[in-house]
Amino acid sequence: MFVDKAKIFIKAGNGGNGSISFRREKYVAAGGPDGGDGGNGGNIVFKVDLGMTTLMDFKYKRKYAAKSGEDGAGRHKKGKAGEDIVLYVPQGTVIRDAESNRVIADLSDPDKEIILAKGGSGGWGNSHFATAVRQTPNFAKNGLPGDEREIILELKLLADVGLVGFPNVGKSTLLSMTTKASPKIADYHFTTLEPNLGVVDLGDGRGFVLADIPGIIEGASEGVGLGHEFLRHIERTRILIHVVDVSGIEGRNPIEDFEIINRELSEYDMALEERPQIVAANKTDIIQDEDAYREFVSYARSKGYEVFEISAATNKGVRALMMRVYEELQKLPPVTVFEPEMDIEEDIFEDDGKGYTIRRENEVYVIEGPWIEAVGGGVNFSDRESLQYFQRMLLKRGVIEELVEMGIRENDTVRIGDLEFDFVF
């Protein structure tokens, strides 16, 4: 089954918590703090697999979570880092943020890999907080949560040339005649239900990748039938071969067919309206209406299109068409690579990177966010130094100032995660 779109949820591992530990050995009267750091959480990594041609692997499994880092331990033992999860996708996969639909990455480079969800950093053990004055810190840092997001994977074929046209006009036959691809061919509409790729070899190292795009119908740009699924694969092509059935066997008007396809292309993506086109007037070996045939050729040429009169079934005029397409490709820029529209790190913090947000819920000031919850989770309220450290962090990051600006008063309740305490100036 050819699957070219999937929505999945990814979650990187959380960082392990730092350890609160003190050296305890015989004959050592005052062993210092020796709590180790927590390990970093595992990342979610995406890589290109040149052997993959579909997103089928993501059709049934929709959630991927990396392992969290292990907590630190005494004797300065650092927790083991969580293992990364590596997800392989076909070359040409575009990754979008599901909420905003903005492009995060385009995996068109076969050597490229990208960390799409970064594991949380491990928390510091209490040995990090020892100073000449504070020799027995009884607190440590919790690990930070890993990134998580819902993403959309879209496969947009990497082809130099796309074959477009109504169903049953001979696109699959043309592909089979010019490449080693073996598309399904039969004398009925919608034989092709998925794109097919092949390499046109013209000899002497000359060639290009040709894609047979399933038949586009009227209304495809609005999603009629499988319109959007088919049109997606034309976006990267540098030139289009517009195949038109000029035989008149089915009683269709080739001019009307030609205009409908071009209208659907432009309505789906205005850039496709400017995409170079070469017209392949196909099935010239079985023409039933000579007048309609000549009228179409004259019409297309009057619009500035180069027309090749071919018969894909008998190979008539096919090589000349492919040679001309190759010549035109030499004048055009490389296959389109979609530029990211948002940074991978974006939206991890909902508050422009502060690491927290503050809102009033009745008489309670609720502080939320990865950074503030990690800091609050490591507070030892029975330890004075731990409380002082917590207060300094709130001052340093502007939390206290923001609370005061919001009108907080002495003994008002503050909530951070599961932690509640009275505010004291």
Side-chain angles (χ1 to χ4, degrees):
M1 181 185 293
F2 183 78
V3 178
D4 58 2
K5 190 171 184 179
K7 180 188 284 189
I8 63 172
F9 176 81
I10 56 174
K11 169 74 171 72
N14 299 328
N17 298 327
S19 169
I20 301 173
S21 175
F22 297 90
R23 186 181 175 194
R24 294 289 183 264
E25 291 183 30
K26 195 175 182 180
Y27 307 119
V28 179
D34 66 353
D37 300 342
N40 295 332
N43 303 316
I44 304 289
V45 183
F46 281 78
K47 287 185 178 181
V48 170
D49 182 346
L50 294 175
M52 291 180 67
T53 57
T54 173
L55 295 171
M56 182 69 181
D57 291 355
F58 302 98
K59 180 175 176 62
Y60 300 107
K61 186 175 180 182
R62 300 295 181 92
K63 294 183 179 180
Y64 298 85
K67 290 187 176 180
S68 295
E70 295 181 356
D71 294 342
R75 298 188 178 182
H76 301 287
K77 289 183 180 178
K78 183 172 182 176
K80 185 179 179 182
E83 289 186 16
D84 293 347
I85 286 183
V86 180
L87 300 177
Y88 291 93
V89 295
Q91 185 180 19
T93 299
V94 174
I95 303 175
R96 296 180 181 274
D97 176 71
E99 185 176 353
S100 66
N101 203 42
R102 290 185 292 173
V103 174
I104 302 173
D106 182 350
L107 291 171
S108 295
D109 183 347
D111 299 319
K112 188 174 182 179
E113 65 176 62
I114 186 169
I115 297 175
L116 214 62
K118 191 173 182 180
S121 300
W124 282 356
N126 66 336
S127 58
H128 278 276
F129 300 97
T131 65
V133 177
R134 185 201 303 126
Q135 297 184 3
T136 57
N138 198 29
F139 61 95
K141 264 188 175 182
N142 284 354
L144 292 174
D147 301 342
E148 60 180 66
R149 61 176 11 122
E150 194 171 35
I151 59 173
I152 296 171
L153 307 177
E154 287 184 345
L155 176 57
K156 296 178 186 284
L157 294 181
L158 286 172
D160 300 296
V161 182
L163 295 172
V164 298
F166 264 87
N168 204 33
V169 295
K171 299 189 302 298
S172 296
T173 302
L174 185 57
L175 181 74
S176 68
M177 284 296 208
T178 54
T179 73
K180 293 182 179 180
S182 302
K184 185 178 179 182
I185 299 171
D187 191 21
Y188 54 86
H189 291 286
F190 300 108
T191 308
T192 305
L193 293 177
E194 58 189 53
N196 289 293
L197 284 175
V199 177
V200 176
D201 185 0
L202 297 172
D204 299 323
R206 297 171 299 172
F208 53 86
V209 178
L210 179 64
D212 170 18
I213 309 301
I216 301 168
I217 60 175
E218 192 166 10
S221 60
E222 299 172 359
V224 173
L226 296 174
H228 284 170
E229 282 75 5
F230 294 163
L231 287 163
R232 177 184 308 124
H233 298 291
I234 305 174
E235 291 184 61
R236 293 188 192 270
T237 56
R238 297 191 284 158
I239 192 169
L240 299 175
I241 298 178
H242 195 147
V243 184
V244 182
D245 179 356
V246 296
S247 68
I249 287 180
E250 296 186 12
R252 301 184 64 89
N253 185 315
I255 294 178
E256 288 182 7
D257 287 356
F258 186 75
E259 290 178 339
I260 288 171
I261 295 297
N262 279 336
R263 183 168 66 248
E264 294 303 326
L265 292 176
S266 64
E267 288 180 358
Y268 175 75
D269 184 347
M270 286 294 292
L272 292 177
E273 192 173 13
E274 305 301 323
R275 196 68 43 91
Q277 275 190 35
I278 292 178
V279 178
N282 193 28
K283 303 186 182 182
T284 56
D285 56 322
I286 52 173
I287 290 176
Q288 303 295 307
D289 188 337
E290 288 283 351
D291 291 338
Y293 164 56
R294 293 194 187 93
E295 185 182 356
F296 170 74
V297 172
S298 176
Y299 161 81
R301 286 174 176 162
S302 71
K303 294 288 185 179
Y305 295 103
E306 192 169 2
V307 180
F308 281 77
E309 301 171 43
I310 71 167
S311 168
T314 64
N315 225 11
K316 169 193 168 186
V318 170
R319 181 167 177 81
L321 168 63
M322 295 301 154
M323 289 295 292
R324 182 65 182 133
V325 169
Y326 178 79
E327 290 173 7
E328 287 301 306
L329 282 173
Q330 306 316 300
K331 307 172 187 177
L332 300 173
V335 172
T336 301
V337 174
F338 292 84
E339 292 297 325
E341 297 171 346
M342 66 180 286
D343 185 27
I344 295 172
E345 302 292 334
E346 193 174 332
D347 295 337
I348 291 174
F349 295 143
E350 300 174 352
D351 44 21
D352 302 323
K354 292 187 299 184
Y356 67 90
T357 57
I358 305 176
R359 60 184 172 85
R360 283 193 68 172
E361 192 175 281
N362 298 322
E363 298 302 317
V364 178
Y365 289 81
V366 181
I367 310 178
E368 297 173 314
W371 171 81
I372 192 71
E373 289 173 22
V375 172
V379 177
N380 180 355
F381 277 83
S382 63
D383 182 81
R384 179 170 168 272
E385 289 180 338
S386 179
L387 284 171
Q388 288 177 336
Y389 171 77
F390 178 56
Q391 192 171 32
R392 282 198 302 275
M393 292 303 292
L394 296 185
L395 281 166
K396 184 177 180 181
R397 295 294 287 267
V399 178
I400 301 293
E401 183 180 355
E402 193 167 336
L403 285 168
V404 171
E405 289 176 355
M406 291 178 68
I408 197 168
R409 294 173 296 183
E410 186 93 17
N411 296 322
D412 279 353
T413 302
V414 177
R415 183 192 305 151
I416 300 174
D418 297 327
L419 175 68
E420 279 196 2
F421 55 91
D422 292 335
F423 182 78
V424 179
F425 283 100

